[in-house]
Amino acid sequence: MAVPDGVDVHDELFHLRRLRMASFLEGSTLLVLLLIAVPLKHAGGWATGVQVMGPLHGFAFLAYAWLVLQMTASATDWSWRDGARLIALATVPGGGFFSGVLLSSKMARLRTAAR
């Protein structure tokens, strides 16, 4: 795989790193919400955790989805299927971490192609 002319590898790597961090944050907030806040609400009657983590996770998901859409629209070797796969994985508990692995492999391929 060769890097197409006019592609700034450092810029694409920056955006991929940012997307990978957002994926980790989105996945973490989902797991905290599902594994800690919801059980505390139902088993212990403590609804504050869900009241705090629900909106935090919602914001993290929207920010992640926005970054995925930006990457899909601007990156050279991204398709709408790549973006749809990342969004779908974000809806599954732990999927955000798998997305991070996919993004890391894409970063490695980009670095190799740039050499």
Side-chain angles (χ1 to χ4, degrees), residues 4-90:
D5 291 336
V7 173
D8 184 4
V9 174
H10 297 292
D11 189 44
E12 289 217 20
L13 286 172
F14 169 77
H15 291 296
L16 283 170
R17 277 192 295 273
R18 187 173 65 168
L19 186 57
R20 192 179 64 179
M21 286 187 335
S23 175
F24 178 77
L25 179 66
E26 187 279 330
S28 298
T29 59
L30 178 60
L31 288 179
V32 168
L33 180 64
L34 293 178
L35 299 178
I36 297 172
V38 171
L40 283 174
K41 177 183 177 181
H42 293 289
W46 190 65
T48 306
V50 173
Q51 291 170 348
V52 171
M53 285 308 300
L56 280 175
H57 170 65
F59 178 75
F61 179 80
L62 290 175
Y64 174 70
W66 178 252
L67 290 174
V68 169
L69 289 173
Q70 281 184 328
M71 199 65 181
T72 304
S74 66
T76 56
D77 65 337
W78 279 68
S79 69
W80 64 270
R81 287 186 179 141
D82 292 329
R85 183 179 306 130
L86 291 176
I87 296 293
L89 282 170

